Amino acid sequence: MQVADSPPAMSASKQLYSEGYCLHVFPFSLYSIMARFTYVLGCQVSIGTSAARPQIDLRLVNLHKDENISEDFLLTVNPKGQVPVLTGGDLSTPITDSLDISYWLCSHFPNMLPDAHKSTIKDLLSQLHGFEGLSLSVPSKADRLRGVPCLAVDDLLSRTDISKGYRRALEYKRKFHSDTQERALEDAVVSNAEGRVQSLFANILLVRCCPDSAEAGTWIFRDATVLDAHLVPLIARLLDCERTDLVPAELQNYALAVMKGPEWQEVTHGRRTTWDISMGHVHLLQKL
């Protein structure tokens, strides 16, 4: 069987593009949290400015129910079967990368990417997104050896009653999953990610020591930026996964201080960044 090496052609969903902006998320997806935190912080820092706040609705994509590999999602939202995704409004196509979504938000909230620190912020964010968060989210080697098999996709591909377009989309999704998610748990990739995150944190500490950041207080710079919106969720995930060995004490304290604030609570509602059954089933959560 030939495997699709390129994503299938996206089908235009009339409903998808006729409504307002919609952010498709899963509440325990690290990159969904990053995009949501960017929006919430952007709304906060734009108070009292002329920035026009885009109205964005949240839509749950329940990964526990395989909604990310439904025919509609793969063919009209994101062929990679991942969240977050921003759709609707004046977007001609979905934005399927959390960093791209965040930069789109910065175009509406320019204070989130201030000119004085733009190059530094973009460089650090490039480093932050230079490794898979999954590589640092599974501390147990035994759990890593079990991997993250894509059994639901295999089950769907075994069926004979699916459309050709859906079959091609599933084949592409399976290959993408194999090349990224499964590989992310290999020992060499995990080791590389550990080195990269430690280098990132060292560079951030250098920034915090600069004169321009000396009065930063809660944030990396004087006010919240898109860097904080991605950095705090990453540190929170590492703390939740008991990878405190990777996070310098100063940055642990920084993240914990931010996590006490109302903006973080608006995104997480006091939950950890990782799910377990004690929280209840995701589709029954009262707040997304």
Side-chain angles (χ1 to χ4, degrees):
M1 180 177 61
Q2 184 176 3
V3 176
D5 291 319
S6 58
M10 297 289 284
S11 303
S13 168
K14 183 176 180 181
Q15 182 180 11
L16 194 64
Y17 298 113
S18 63
E19 300 176 347
Y21 295 112
C22 178
L23 187 61
H24 305 252
V25 299
F26 182 70
F28 302 98
S29 151
L30 173 61
Y31 298 101
S32 291
I33 295 171
M34 289 175 177
R36 291 182 64 183
F37 200 33
T38 301
Y39 178 64
V40 171
L41 285 178
C43 292
Q44 179 62 34
V45 302
S46 68
I47 293 175
T49 72
S50 59
R53 168 180 173 173
Q55 295 299 313
I56 300 179
D57 294 326
L58 295 178
R59 182 173 298 172
L60 172 65
V61 179
N62 194 340
L63 307 189
H64 292 173
K65 290 182 172 291
D66 298 323
E67 292 176 357
N68 60 310
I69 57 172
S70 70
E71 184 169 9
D72 181 66
F73 191 87
L74 291 178
L75 291 177
T76 68
V77 182
N78 185 2
K80 295 179 179 179
Q82 293 186 318
V83 288
V85 182
L86 184 66
T87 62
D90 59 359
L91 297 174
S92 59
T93 57
I95 304 178
T96 60
D97 177 84
S98 60
L99 189 53
D100 290 339
I101 292 170
S102 295
Y103 284 144
W104 180 89
L105 288 167
C106 288
S107 71
H108 293 270
F109 304 126
N111 286 353
M112 289 291 286
L113 189 59
D115 289 338
H117 305 297
K118 181 179 291 187
S119 62
T120 299
I121 290 172
K122 296 188 79 168
D123 177 61
L124 291 170
L125 284 174
S126 178
Q127 294 177 44
L128 192 154
H129 287 268
F131 53 86
E132 283 285 344
L134 178 61
S135 297
L136 304 176
S137 299
V138 186
S140 166
K141 185 169 183 176
D143 289 339
R144 293 201 300 271
L145 287 173
R146 281 191 284 271
V148 282
C150 208
L151 300 179
V153 169
D154 292 336
D155 288 344
L156 286 166
L157 283 170
S158 69
R159 291 170 48 175
T160 59
D161 60 343
I162 61 175
S163 69
K164 290 182 179 179
Y166 189 26
R167 181 172 298 279
R168 184 171 185 276
L170 288 167
E171 290 170 354
Y172 175 77
K173 166 60 179 174
R174 183 170 62 180
K175 184 176 188 305
F176 174 80
H177 183 88
S178 175
D179 291 345
T180 57
Q181 304 305 96
E182 291 181 11
R183 186 171 179 273
L185 296 181
E186 296 175 0
D187 286 347
V189 177
V190 171
S191 179
N192 180 268
E194 290 172 342
R196 285 174 176 264
V197 78
Q198 288 174 317
S199 176
L200 166 69
F201 291 155
N203 290 333
I204 288 173
L205 288 175
L206 288 175
V207 169
R208 282 180 67 85
C209 291
C210 290
D212 287 347
S213 302
E215 302 298 328
T218 302
W219 311 103
I220 296 298
F221 296 102
R222 188 177 301 276
D223 298 306
T225 70
V226 64
L227 177 59
D228 299 290
H230 286 235
L231 180 59
V232 171
L234 173 62
I235 295 174
R237 172 58 61 87
L238 292 174
L239 298 183
D240 287 342
C241 294
E242 300 182 350
R243 294 307 313 266
T244 55
D245 58 303
L246 295 175
V247 189
E250 181 179 342
L251 292 183
Q252 291 187 40
N253 293 335
Y254 146 80
L256 291 171
V258 173
M259 291 161 63
K260 292 177 182 177
E263 297 87 3
W264 180 257
Q265 296 303 312
E266 183 176 342
V267 173
T268 65
H269 308 291
R271 299 185 294 250
R272 291 161 48 94
T273 66
T274 54
W275 179 85
D276 64 63
I277 192 60
S278 68
M279 300 176 182
H281 293 293
V282 171
H283 68 282
L284 297 177
L285 293 176
Q286 292 186 349
K287 295 180 179 180
L288 185 55

